[in-house]
Amino acid sequence: MRNRHLILLLCCQCLATLPVAAQTIPAKLDSLLDAYAKVWDYTGSVLVSTKGAVLFEKGYGYKNKETRSLNDSNTIFQIGSITKQFTSAIILQLEEQKKLSLQDSLAKYIPDYPNGNKITIEQLLTHTAGVYNYTNDAVFMKNESMHPISRDSLIARFKYKPLDFTPGEKFNYSNSGYELLGYIIEKVTGESYFQAVRQRIFQPLHMDHSGFDFTDLHSPDKALGYAPQSTTPLPIVDSSVSFAAGAIYTTVGDLYKWDRALLSGKILSQASQQKAYTPHLNGYGYGWMLHIVDGKKVVEHGGGITGFVSYIKRIPEDETCIIILDNQPNSANTIKMAQDIADILSGKEVRLPKARVAVTLDTALLRQYVGEYQIGSNFIFTISLEDGHLYGQATGQGKMELFAEKKDLFFLKAVDGEVEFVRDADGKIEKLILHTGHDTPAKRL
């Protein structure tokens, strides 16, 4: 359910050549993922398929650190915003059945919704409705998101907030929009959103390990979510809070069934899928992010919810599907892993993550780096010094400790990337450069 602004920015560069040219593709994948597990402490399950065959399926790390139970292909994870493509599929099914139109206004289903006559279902699907994103309320998410909430109370959290912009004019990722889509599904079907997804998708596809109420799931395959380097499980966001924007839990195997059903047209007609895969503003379709890579359409989406991140990357033309589920969140590495896997499948050179060794710098030198560095008009990277440790914090994100490799060059342990400080002719710091697979300069303010 998280915004991927910094996630995309902080994908890795600090790499070592992959000496596996003679290996089979499954062996290359295993070498790559073993490196992510060892260097970046990746914990989760992965499935990779192409041309209709599963090439690789494996778990890494612990689903339960206390019992030291290992992740495997049967482990059940929360998937956050990957839920959105299931929500969009139900909406498209209802359109196929002529029970609604994507051009219907929100006011048709919630007559008293402010400006509801200006907002369409399609705008909710494409994050162009301008509806305030309720998960931006950090206090609510921290203190109340693990408790059940009524549908009306959930909608009230954003219903009376001013629109971020005139509907249709801009893109702004909004979980609230998908909560409203879930409400519309309930109004049209006369069923709960959860029942609708079970009956229309999970049951026909035999997605028998998928559901919604993760709090009350009692299964030996259930993963617990952890913060990096922590052994204390994180709290679970209640399914009534994440709802149609992010409530689903599942396995890599069940998500693969979803992929195959989409390819076969079992759930949606090809015409509906074409709509879902048509990019609108910011390359977003209906619950999918869309790109063209090497002349082929890539449909993908990530998910983040407390304790978990997920990613599904599909290349329908090749019947390629890459699924990565993670119960010790590191979203930047999850995206980079998916791209590395896709590159291996396409025969490109891929590099393994490399362990870095930190050195100690004098505190007086560390003070020289402290300040604000501007990347974009509304995006600042702040460097602070606390108890002898240097930290970087991007706008709207948490702090990440920076570790010195040498003077003026630091690396991150939270994600695979570098921060390089650049001096002017007088030796004063004038900017920094984020090395994240490409170079992003940030001028010192």
Side-chain angles (χ1 to χ4, degrees), residues 328-339:
Q328 186 171 271
N330 190 327
S331 299
N333 284 343
T334 304
I335 293 171
K336 186 61 171 65
M337 285 167 63
Q339 186 56 52

Side-chain angles (χ1 to χ4, degrees), residues 249-266:
Y249 63 75
T250 191
T251 65
V252 291
D254 273 10
L255 278 180
Y256 180 58
K257 292 177 181 178
W258 168 239
D259 165 73
R260 299 304 299 173
L262 291 173
L263 288 170
S264 68
K266 187 172 182 179

Side-chain angles (χ1 to χ4, degrees), residues 44 51 54 57 66 83 90 116 135 153 162 198 215 222 227 238 262 267 290-291 297 313 318 325 374 388 398 403 410:
K51 303 298 182 185
V54 175
E57 191 173 6
E66 181 180 3
T83 299
I90 302 295
T135 59
S153 295
R198 285 192 188 96
T215 300
K222 177 180 177 178
D238 193 80
L262 291 173
I267 293 298
L290 306 156
H291 311 278
K297 179 167 283 189
K313 188 182 192 79
D318 295 340
L325 306 181
Q374 187 162 14
F403 298 87
F410 293 75

Side-chain angles (χ1 to χ4, degrees), residues 62 64-66 68 224-234 328:
Y62 297 111
N64 186 318
K65 292 186 178 183
E66 181 180 3
R68 300 184 70 81
L224 302 180
Y226 298 91
Q229 286 82 56
S230 173
T231 58
T232 302
L234 291 169
Q328 186 171 271

Side-chain angles (χ1 to χ4, degrees), residues 5 10 19 47 70 73-74 105 130 187 193 200 203 212 224 240 242 248 250 253 257 297 318 325 346 360 364 366 418:
H5 191 114
L10 293 173
L47 184 147
L70 296 171
S73 59
N74 296 316
S105 72
K187 292 279 284 188
Y193 167 79
R200 290 169 174 266
Q203 291 174 3
F212 302 94
L224 302 180
S240 63
S242 49
I248 289 177
T250 191
K257 292 177 181 178
K297 179 167 283 189
D318 295 340
L325 306 181
S346 63
T360 301
L366 293 177
E418 291 180 340

Side-chain angles (χ1 to χ4, degrees), residues 177-246:
Y178 272 76
E179 307 296 45
L180 291 169
L181 290 169
Y183 183 87
I184 290 170
I185 288 169
E186 293 185 332
K187 292 279 284 188
V188 172
T189 64
E191 304 168 335
S192 75
Y193 167 79
F194 302 133
Q195 289 173 324
V197 177
R198 285 192 188 96
Q199 293 173 8
R200 290 169 174 266
I201 299 178
F202 291 170
Q203 291 174 3
L205 301 186
H206 299 286
M207 294 177 65
D208 300 327
H209 308 288
S210 302
F212 302 94
D213 184 6
F214 200 63
T215 300
D216 293 322
L217 175 66
H218 301 289
S219 168
D221 293 318
K222 177 180 177 178
L224 302 180
Y226 298 91
Q229 286 82 56
S230 173
T231 58
T232 302
L234 291 169
I236 296 171
V237 174
D238 193 80
S239 58
S240 63
V241 174
S242 49
F243 188 42

Side-chain angles (χ1 to χ4, degrees), residues 358-369 385 388-390 402-411 419 421 423:
V359 299
T360 301
L361 298 181
D362 185 78
T363 301
L365 177 58
L366 293 177
R367 288 196 189 98
Q368 296 179 20
Y369 305 120
L385 180 63
H389 297 273
L390 206 66
L402 307 182
F403 298 87
E405 186 167 67
K406 61 181 180 180
K407 178 183 176 182
D408 297 347
L409 183 63
F410 293 75
F411 62 93
V419 178
F421 293 91
R423 298 176 183 271

Side-chain angles (χ1 to χ4, degrees), residues 83-106 108-110 119-127 175-198 200-201 243-245 258 262 267-269 271-273 275-276 280 284-288:
T83 299
K84 290 180 172 66
Q85 59 203 242
F86 292 84
T87 300
S88 74
I90 302 295
I91 290 289
L92 287 167
Q93 284 183 347
L94 294 174
E95 185 195 40
E96 289 176 357
Q97 296 164 6
K98 302 190 183 306
K99 294 182 178 180
L100 58 73
S101 166
L102 299 189
Q103 301 313 313
D104 284 345
S105 72
L106 176 58
K108 181 176 179 179
Y109 304 96
I110 309 179
I119 298 169
T120 66
I121 288 177
E122 184 174 64
Q123 289 166 349
L124 296 173
L125 286 166
T126 57
H127 299 295
N175 291 299
S176 303
Y178 272 76
E179 307 296 45
L180 291 169
L181 290 169
Y183 183 87
I184 290 170
I185 288 169
E186 293 185 332
K187 292 279 284 188
V188 172
T189 64
E191 304 168 335
S192 75
Y193 167 79
F194 302 133
Q195 289 173 324
V197 177
R198 285 192 188 96
R200 290 169 174 266
I201 299 178
F243 188 42
W258 168 239
L262 291 173
I267 293 298
L268 289 175
S269 68
S272 289
Q273 287 192 64
K275 288 183 180 181
H280 292 253
Y284 200 92
Y286 301 164
W288 293 98

